[in-house]
Amino acid sequence: MEGKQQQHQPPAGRAVMGAASDERRSEDGKDGAGCETLGRPLGPTPSQSRFQVDLVAEGAGRPAEELRKASREDGAAGKGSEEAKGRFRVNFVDPSAGDESPGEPGGGSSEGGNVSFQNGGDTVMSEGSLHSGGHHHYYYDTHTNTYYLRTFGHNTMDAVPRIDYYRHTAADLGEKLIRPSLAELHDELDKEPFEDGYANGDEGTPAGEATASYTPDSKGVVKFGWIKGVLVRCMLNIWGVMLFIRLSWIVGQAGIGLSVVVIGMATVVTTITGLSTSAIATNGFVRGGGAYYLISRSLGPEFGGAIGLIFAFANAVAVAMYVVGFAETVVELLKENGALMIDEMNDIRIIGAITVVILLGISVAGMEWESKAQIVLLVILILAIGDFVIGTFIPLDSKKPKGFFGYKAEIFMENFGPDFRHEETFFSVFAIFFPAATGILAGANISGDLADPQSAIPKGTLLAILITTLVYVGIAVSVGSCVVRDATGNVNDTIVTELTNCTAAACKLNYDFSSCQPVCQYGLMNNFQVMSMVSGFAPLISAGIFSATLSSALASLVSAPKIFQALCKDNIYPGFQMFARGYGKNNEPLRGYLLTFLIALGFILIAELNVIAPIISNFFLASYALINFSVFHASLAKSPGWRPAFKYYNMWISLLGAILCCIVMFVINWWAALLTYVIVLGLYIYVTYKKPDVNWGSSTQALTYLNALQHSIRLSGVEDHVKNFRPQCLIMTGAPSARPALLHLVHAFTKNVGLMICGHVHMGPRRQAMKELSTDLAKYQRWLIKNKMKAFYAPVHAEDLRDGGQYLMQAAGLGRMRPNTLVVGFKKNWRQSDMRDVETYINLFHDAFDIQYGVVVIRLKEGLDISHLQGQEELLSSQEKSPCTKDVIVKVDYSKKAETDTSVAFAPSFSERTTTSRKEEDEDGKTPTQPLLKKDSKSQPSPLNLTDQRLLDASTQFQKKQGKSNIDVWWLFDDGGLTLLIPYLLTTKKKWKDCRIRVFIGGKINRIDHDRRAMATLLSKFRIDFSDIMVLGDINTKPKKENIAAFEEMIEPFRLHEDDKEQEVADKMKEDEPWRITDNELELYKTKTYRQIRLNELLQEHSSTANIIVMSLPVARKGAVSSALYMAWLEALSKDLPPILLVRGNHQSVLTFYS
């Protein structure tokens, strides 16, 4: 089967969708060929036809040639090469025609019902689609004819479920296919498929490129199964030097009973970790990087990045530890034979250095060689263990003086209980043994080199833990049953006469070893080479020691670079990017090998590993703890994406495992544990601070969502209270980046206090607006986060601004987290605008008051809208970023009037706004931010005029520290206290904390002192600091004549002058243009008009030097005051002043003096 598949692979640029609608075998068991005998027609009927869809990559030359050739051979009307991005080509394959082409081996049998599973079942392809040479093909292009994809015999474009639709772009196991988008299925027929070059929301991956971008080359890639890849590695890594050198000593100290407990405790920790590893490894496709990959994809880059670095380092140092263990054994042998080269320490360095060079050579030669070396080492290790077991059954008289008597009940009984000496305790013995149980991640660490990591990691890891534990327990029990704790090694210590005072097991076996106690030379307690002594053939145990050390060293030497490479590929630590590069078919991290070699060599030359060993153990344990915690965390987050295929795990057991790992860290070495915690915490803080631009769908994200959801629901059950009132602002910003001053000022009093939602009303054609909605949502939310704005972006599509504003005011927010204040920019150019827009603008205020919102109008002398300047800068930055042609989407103004642009909000100069080109973001989502104009840029389109420069400077004024200046609060009317609360909240922020609040109130000339004292009392009860209170007794004085004249001149174009017209004409005009000011209205509200003009004079007099003015917003009665007159009031009140906030609360108390 595999041979056949290799003979006829589809061309690289195509994605074959054959299996999607394969015919099943007919009920009577006959396949497609057999059906001919039933008299079925030879041509393809709708229910019979198989189809293939070939995604044609842009400019794919070779596939097109092959297709033309194929179509000529088949005699079908073939299409040539289509270069449309992401189009489908549909091939109908006639299942009734047999594979009888002479050029294809194995032809003649129909393969109508056979489905082959490539790559272990990950890529499902029908053989018919692979062996298409002999079938009849019919080519259709869905771009021009969308109804020829037959699914279940129906005319539809809908695709059936298929694994290739769910792959990542560069999947290892096959090519990504792109299913028809919802727009293709749902939009009108004139809609071009993928008209923006993107499919399915995958920005930056046009449909054609998606399939052509990565073609896996399966030839020469070495992939391991679960035995060779996981079981062998884990067993070799777990069975270390401890097995041969230290296990007998542990039995001597702790006794057989407690030794089994020690082994059992270590196994509990490793088994729980093994179960957790299995759960994570089976929750989706696992790539290279082992423990780092598992932890980072579960808990996010912060924990993953911290553990990845220390785990890779621990593996690199472990190489040195194992090699020094090997070198020490060799030097012991040299010493016994009197063949030392220099002295012990230097010999260890020399032998260690030579060994690590040889191991590096094996590793660099490739994974296949390394794997073969591991198998050889495992065989030697198993022979050594067998040699020991055989030796226990053949006790020789020559070995009895050294304490070995064979299996004796007396020895078993004596050695069963503990006999701790030299200040050893149960926990110190456990600390010495535990490193022998580590190594369970050896298989997971090369996850990228496994054929099927999801099944291999659980099977191999858990079986390795079981086998190694049984061997450890078996050897502990057998050595404890055969060898006494102390022996002299002296043949003459046999007992000739019966001794009454000797109760040791050796006495019962006619040996008296009491002469050498407390320090004997032989026995479990004293001789580390007990296993050599017991074994049938001692040199084989030495070979076993060599095998155990070298295999562990080799496994660590391979693991460290692989983990480090995966870490570097994710670019969590940008400085290490150079180590991400891989070489050869297997993507071998040669630079990582070299780095690991240098680290290992450095520690080998130190040759003092007693200090390093506990740190390594703690590094391994920290990663075990986090793997266990990952499973607990993912289960706790209840993410629908957490569905491991491995079911034998429990979140609470995993949490217990994590806690046990942390306890064991302290048991092994308390200072090393503290050091590990500090390092992990430091790296965690670093990665959190750097915020790598990755999104892996971690359980941290899932838990954040769950917490937010639960708290939101809990909050919904809490009644509002005046003490907890917060200004929750809906700001009509349009595109947030267009009005930075508006955004920063509101952010100054809502940050960490209240909600801030940036409303953006899209108008114009619905299809265009809907497309913009989805792209803008992600783009501008990212922009807000990048600019450290604690705000949400809420776009809506509406016919006009008023509808959009109503939608937002009614629907924005969630539960208690809903806006209660509408913030708009002042419409500076209202006199030049279409008055219908002014009507819409003023009606928004009325709507807000109807919905019980407060309203804040913000005016800057220079204006707020800088989008016409931003357009130049964005275009400029897009030219700088991409010299080649990229997808530039031009924002078209569909409406007749420039001011009803798709991102309208209330700010100056949107009638002058040019249609700006805006570059779609790169995949990393980085959008240009401040400074908005690069003044040092070489290709600046045009120098800024003075007005624009002032506007640009004004747009950044609230981002600076405000210094010692005044915030003037003109609290003329009581609106519930919002006019006073906003300035107070401003002064609590770092940039505004030096500003002083001055309060201005209206009053009577003869009661100025009384009014001032009353206000001072009220403010002190509200606990709001103020620097001064001014009572204005001359508010009702008539304004200056020139100011009245200027006002009348301003409103002249908007007056109806009904007294000069006929009644009918005047009524008709008022009906058509309701914003016009009637003479009656002007007379009726003359006092209010004069008050606005007079207040402006007072503001010019008292507050012209203030940093910001907060003033009560005048309210116009709905239906009684025309829009033009209200707009004129706001203009007259706020012109030629520092930044001013016109505030009107909803007349419900937002301040209280009760506790």
Side-chain angles (χ1 to χ4, degrees):
M1 182 87 122
E2 282 177 30
K4 279 191 189 179
Q5 286 170 0
Q6 283 169 4
Q7 287 158 12
H8 194 93
Q9 286 291 345
R14 294 189 327 192
V16 183
M17 286 173 43
S21 67
D22 253 5
E23 286 290 305
R24 307 205 171 188
R25 287 179 183 261
S26 52
E27 285 177 29
D28 58 359
K30 294 183 181 178
D31 59 19
C35 296
E36 288 179 30
T37 56
L38 302 175
R40 296 231 178 133
L42 287 171
T45 59
S47 61
Q48 263 179 293
S49 298
R50 271 200 205 104
F51 67 84
Q52 297 170 203
V53 177
D54 301 331
L55 266 166
V56 184
E58 203 164 356
R62 196 168 58 81
E65 282 301 316
E66 287 183 25
L67 287 167
R68 276 202 289 273
K69 189 176 162 191
S71 63
R72 281 199 299 272
E73 284 171 5
D74 296 344
K79 285 250 181 191
S81 100
E82 280 103 325
E83 301 201 350
K85 204 183 283 183
R87 293 181 188 175
F88 294 119
R89 181 181 292 117
V90 186
N91 308 348
F92 278 90
V93 183
D94 182 5
S96 59
D99 278 358
E100 290 168 0
S101 84
E104 193 168 316
S109 66
S110 166
E111 287 143 343
N114 297 339
V115 177
S116 72
F117 290 80
Q118 282 187 319
N119 297 323
D122 276 295
T123 310
V124 184
M125 288 187 171
S126 72
E127 283 192 42
S129 67
L130 291 166
H131 308 306
S132 51
H135 288 309
H136 297 303
H137 284 65
Y138 304 87
Y139 294 99
Y140 298 96
D141 179 15
T142 58
H143 192 56
T144 51
N145 199 335
T146 54
Y147 291 104
Y148 281 95
L149 235 92
R150 292 195 168 97
T151 312
F152 316 129
H154 297 291
N155 288 343
T156 174
M157 266 187 72
D158 252 355
V160 293
R162 169 119 191 238
I163 191 170
D164 298 297
Y165 294 129
Y166 295 90
R167 296 192 188 286
H168 284 178
T169 311
D172 290 354
L173 300 173
E175 295 175 353
K176 176 180 173 62
L177 293 183
I178 296 171
R179 66 179 70 80
S181 71
L182 197 57
E184 285 182 276
L185 299 175
H186 174 251
D187 276 10
E188 298 93 332
L189 272 177
D190 63 344
K191 165 99 173 148
E192 294 210 352
F194 313 124
E195 68 178 349
D196 57 356
Y198 296 124
N200 216 22
D202 293 337
E203 282 194 28
T205 315
E209 292 165 30
T211 53
S213 62
Y214 185 86
T215 310
D217 184 4
S218 56
K219 290 176 187 172
V221 176
V222 180
K223 296 282 183 186
F224 302 117
W226 71 274
I227 294 177
K228 213 172 179 184
V230 184
L231 182 69
V232 169
R233 274 166 205 285
C234 287
M235 281 165 60
L236 281 169
N237 235 19
I238 295 169
W239 282 332
V241 191
M242 292 292 175
L243 180 64
F244 298 106
I245 296 179
R246 288 284 186 279
L247 192 58
S248 55
W249 176 84
I250 288 166
V251 173
Q253 291 280 359
I256 295 168
L258 286 183
S259 295
V260 172
V261 171
V262 164
I263 296 165
M265 280 172 61
T267 305
V268 165
V269 174
T270 54
T271 305
I272 293 173
T273 309
L275 294 172
S276 299
T277 307
S278 303
I280 302 176
T282 58
N283 189 49
F285 177 62
V286 179
R287 286 209 174 89
Y292 159 71
Y293 187 88
L294 299 179
I295 293 170
S296 63
R297 295 319 188 263
S298 294
L299 288 177
E302 295 85 6
F303 276 120
I307 279 300
L309 204 58
I310 68 163
F311 196 63
F313 179 75
N315 271 294
V317 180
V319 176
M321 191 170 75
Y322 294 129
V323 167
V324 168
F326 166 75
E328 278 180 354
T329 315
V330 175
V331 169
E332 281 290 319
L333 289 172
L334 291 176
K335 196 169 147 194
E336 281 176 24
N337 299 312
L340 282 177
M341 290 178 278
I342 305 167
D343 56 53
E344 275 189 52
M345 188 62 81
N346 284 318
D347 279 13
I348 288 171
R349 287 172 180 156
I350 293 163
I351 293 164
I354 294 166
T355 309
V356 82
V357 169
I358 294 166
L359 291 178
L360 178 71
I362 294 171
S363 304
V364 171
M367 290 296 288
E368 212 165 357
W369 281 95
E370 188 265 350
S371 177
K372 284 171 183 167
Q374 294 279 32
I375 295 285
V376 171
L377 293 171
L378 182 68
V379 169
I380 296 169
L381 201 57
I382 290 171
L383 286 174
I385 293 168
D387 177 34
F388 164 78
V389 173
I390 291 164
T392 59
F393 290 102
I394 41 174
L396 301 172
D397 286 344
S398 60
K399 292 181 182 176
K400 284 182 180 176
K402 294 182 179 177
F404 170 51
F405 295 94
Y407 290 99
K408 302 287 181 192
E410 299 92 331
I411 299 176
F412 178 82
M413 293 306 293
E414 185 181 82
N415 287 347
F416 191 80
D419 181 14
F420 293 113
R421 300 183 197 169
H422 311 300
E423 298 181 358
E424 297 292 350
T425 63
F426 174 78
F427 287 111
S428 70
V429 168
F430 176 74
I432 287 164
F433 173 77
F434 189 81
T438 58
I440 57 166
L441 294 180
N445 285 342
I446 60 151
S447 51
D449 295 297
L450 300 174
D452 182 10
Q454 289 191 42
S455 89
I457 291 173
K459 274 196 289 193
T461 306
L462 294 171
L463 193 58
I465 292 171
L466 179 68
I467 293 170
T468 51
T469 303
L470 291 175
V471 169
Y472 274 135
V473 171
I475 289 178
V477 172
S478 63
V479 82
S481 309
C482 295
V483 185
V484 293
R485 282 192 167 105
D486 297 289
T488 57
N490 188 347
V491 186
N492 300 325
D493 284 343
T494 50
I495 300 172
V496 182
T497 57
E498 192 71 32
L499 290 176
T500 53
N501 61 345
C502 183
T503 55
C507 296
K508 295 171 188 171
L509 297 166
N510 300 328
Y511 274 85
D512 178 17
F513 295 135
S514 55
S515 60
C516 70
Q517 287 175 350
V519 183
C520 295
Q521 201 178 342
Y522 293 96
L524 293 176
M525 287 290 207
N526 315 297
N527 183 12
F528 289 151
Q529 304 292 334
V530 164
M531 285 186 72
S532 292
M533 185 259 295
V534 171
S535 66
F537 181 62
L540 201 50
I541 296 292
S542 296
I545 294 171
F546 294 165
S547 166
T549 49
L550 292 178
S551 63
S552 297
L554 199 51
S556 298
L557 186 56
V558 169
S559 296
K562 296 272 183 190
I563 296 161
F564 196 52
Q565 183 186 30
L567 180 71
C568 297
K569 270 185 181 168
D570 290 333
N571 202 20
I572 287 175
Y573 301 104
F576 296 143
Q577 191 60 32
M578 60 177 289
F579 293 102
R581 174 136 188 236
Y583 297 84
K585 298 275 186 190
N586 264 31
N587 199 26
E588 295 288 350
L590 296 186
R591 294 174 180 178
Y593 280 130
L594 200 61
L595 182 69
T596 307
F597 166 74
L598 292 173
I599 292 170
L601 193 62
F603 281 101
I604 286 166
L605 296 178
I606 294 170
E608 270 298 326
L609 285 174
N610 289 348
V611 178
I612 296 296
I615 298 176
I616 293 172
S617 295
N618 274 321
F619 280 3
F620 282 131
L621 275 164
S623 49
Y624 292 177
L626 276 180
I627 286 175
N628 285 315
F629 183 69
S630 300
V631 171
F632 169 73
H633 202 264
S635 304
L636 189 68
K638 298 186 179 74
S639 170
W642 173 250
R643 359 175 243 284
F646 183 83
K647 300 294 180 194
Y648 305 103
Y649 72 94
N650 178 285
M651 62 184 283
W652 300 109
I653 289 175
S654 293
L655 180 63
L656 176 69
I659 294 166
L660 282 175
C661 288
C662 294
I663 293 168
V664 170
M665 285 169 76
F666 277 100
V667 167
I668 289 177
N669 192 306
W670 66 267
W671 61 261
L674 287 176
L675 183 67
T676 307
Y677 285 140
V678 167
I679 293 171
V680 172
L681 193 64
L683 290 171
Y684 178 88
I685 291 165
Y686 170 79
V687 178
T688 307
Y689 174 73
K690 294 296 279 186
K691 286 194 180 66
D693 190 15
V694 293
N695 181 10
W696 294 323
S698 65
S699 60
T700 312
Q701 290 173 335
L703 197 64
T704 305
Y705 172 83
L706 193 68
N707 287 338
L709 183 66
Q710 288 171 344
H711 284 107
S712 301
I713 291 167
R714 197 176 305 155
L715 195 63
S716 302
V718 178
E719 287 298 318
D720 285 333
H721 191 281
V722 64
K723 280 199 293 186
N724 290 327
F725 175 86
R726 296 158 186 272
Q728 313 216 92
C729 298
L730 169 64
I731 324 173
M732 305 299 282
T733 56
S737 54
R739 295 168 182 84
L742 186 66
L743 215 62
H744 283 102
L745 182 56
V746 177
H747 190 248
F749 64 81
T750 58
K751 182 186 176 186
N752 298 331
V753 173
L755 182 71
M756 175 169 152
I757 295 178
C758 301
H760 187 172
V761 180
H762 287 261
M763 296 179 294
R766 189 169 181 279
R767 186 190 295 170
Q768 172 72 10
M770 285 302 172
K771 199 166 170 186
E772 282 179 4
L773 279 186
S774 56
T775 54
D776 284 1
L777 186 61
K779 173 183 172 180
Y780 287 124
Q781 192 61 56
R782 271 202 298 259
W783 186 90
L784 289 167
I785 291 165
K786 191 173 175 188
N787 286 275
K788 297 187 171 65
M789 291 281 168
K790 298 193 175 178
F792 298 96
Y793 172 69
V796 290
H797 172 255
E799 291 303 314
D800 64 27
L801 219 46
R802 186 180 182 185
D803 284 352
Q806 285 180 340
Y807 299 160
L808 285 165
M809 284 187 277
Q810 291 174 68
L814 186 72
R816 291 269 170 230
M817 293 187 297
R818 302 180 75 85
N820 53 28
T821 307
L822 178 73
V823 181
V824 295
F826 181 75
K827 193 172 178 67
K828 185 186 175 195
N829 65 331
W830 67 277
R831 279 178 284 175
Q832 292 82 41
S833 297
D834 186 327
M835 286 309 289
R836 279 173 298 190
D837 290 336
V838 177
E839 179 86 357
T840 302
Y841 176 66
I842 297 302
N843 279 334
L844 262 172
F845 295 14
H846 296 312
D847 294 340
F849 290 137
D850 286 346
I851 306 171
Q852 290 290 297
Y853 268 52
V855 173
V856 177
V857 182
I858 297 177
R859 180 171 190 180
L860 265 63
K861 211 169 8 188
E862 300 82 4
L864 291 163
D865 185 1
I866 62 163
S867 54
H868 60 292
L869 306 178
Q870 237 180 349
Q872 291 183 324
E873 188 269 343
E874 286 200 14
L875 202 59
L876 209 150
S877 67
S878 71
Q879 286 163 3
E880 284 171 2
K881 275 189 195 173
S882 51
C884 59
T885 53
K886 276 235 172 184
D887 293 306
V888 176
I889 292 182
V890 178
K891 208 171 186 183
V892 182
D893 193 352
Y894 286 90
S895 52
K896 289 174 189 170
K897 301 166 197 67
E899 58 266 27
T900 52
D901 180 78
T902 50
S903 56
V904 160
F906 321 110
S909 70
F910 53 55
S911 62
E912 302 137 33
R913 284 176 62 176
T914 53
T915 305
T916 59
S917 289
R918 128 180 109 77
K919 183 184 163 292
E920 283 294 303
E921 296 166 281
D922 291 345
E923 275 182 298
D924 60 358
K926 292 179 175 65
T927 50
T929 53
Q930 307 291 352
L932 289 162
L933 264 147
K934 295 172 181 150
K935 299 183 180 61
D936 57 343
S937 170
K938 289 174 188 170
S939 57
Q940 187 142 337
S942 56
L944 287 180
N945 59 35
L946 193 60
T947 314
D948 284 346
Q949 189 57 56
R950 280 182 183 155
L951 172 59
L952 206 57
D953 293 342
S955 72
T956 61
Q957 65 180 315
F958 300 122
Q959 297 172 44
K960 306 182 185 98
K961 194 163 172 62
Q962 298 302 308
K964 292 188 176 177
S965 55
N966 295 324
I967 298 176
D968 284 0
V969 181
W970 290 63
W971 196 17
L972 306 177
F973 308 104
D974 193 335
D975 59 349
L978 188 64
T979 313
L980 195 59
L981 181 62
I982 287 174
Y984 164 72
L985 290 173
L986 276 175
T987 59
T988 62
K989 298 296 186 284
K990 194 161 62 175
K991 284 177 184 150
W992 295 82
K993 72 174 189 307
D994 295 335
C995 295
R996 294 165 305 169
I997 293 177
R998 293 195 304 178
V999 180
F1000 294 80
I1001 54 170
K1004 293 181 181 174
I1005 292 175
N1006 57 352
R1007 294 184 53 181
I1008 283 178
D1009 284 346
H1010 175 269
D1011 289 344
R1012 183 185 283 122
R1013 277 198 302 277
M1015 179 52 67
T1017 307
L1018 181 61
L1019 290 175
S1020 63
K1021 283 196 171 181
F1022 283 148
R1023 305 169 305 285
I1024 289 175
D1025 292 330
F1026 58 92
S1027 64
D1028 197 7
I1029 294 173
M1030 291 188 72
V1031 182
L1032 305 164
D1034 51 352
I1035 282 181
N1036 292 326
T1037 309
K1038 194 174 179 184
K1040 294 173 186 170
K1041 282 182 182 174
E1042 62 266 28
N1043 290 338
I1044 295 172
F1047 181 83
E1048 286 174 349
E1049 187 188 333
M1050 176 173 69
I1051 62 169
E1052 183 59 38
F1054 310 114
R1055 288 183 64 179
L1056 184 63
H1057 290 296
E1058 74 269 25
D1059 294 347
D1060 302 342
K1061 295 184 176 69
E1062 289 181 20
Q1063 183 69 32
E1064 282 182 22
V1065 175
D1067 289 350
K1068 180 84 172 72
M1069 201 170 173
K1070 181 68 179 169
E1071 191 181 326
D1072 292 343
E1073 297 175 339
W1075 42 266
R1076 286 206 176 268
I1077 306 167
T1078 64
D1079 297 344
N1080 181 35
E1081 176 189 6
L1082 204 55
E1083 188 59 39
L1084 192 62
Y1085 291 107
K1086 189 176 186 178
T1087 316
K1088 198 161 185 177
T1089 302
Y1090 283 179
R1091 188 191 300 141
Q1092 312 312 324
I1093 302 168
R1094 175 64 186 147
L1095 280 170
N1096 183 261
E1097 291 173 3
L1098 291 168
L1099 283 161
Q1100 303 270 16
E1101 184 185 333
H1102 295 287
S1103 294
S1104 57
T1105 58
N1107 241 24
I1108 195 164
I1109 302 166
V1110 183
M1111 188 175 197
S1112 298
L1113 172 75
V1115 177
R1117 190 170 294 283
K1118 192 166 49 171
V1121 179
S1122 61
S1123 302
L1125 182 59
Y1126 189 34
M1127 204 69 216
W1129 285 351
L1130 298 182
E1131 173 72 39
L1133 176 64
S1134 61
K1135 69 178 182 184
D1136 302 326
L1137 288 168
I1140 182 167
L1141 275 73
L1142 299 172
V1143 179
R1144 176 67 67 153
N1146 63 359
H1147 286 248
Q1148 290 176 0
S1149 296
V1150 301
L1151 295 169
T1152 180
F1153 46 78
Y1154 295 108
S1155 59

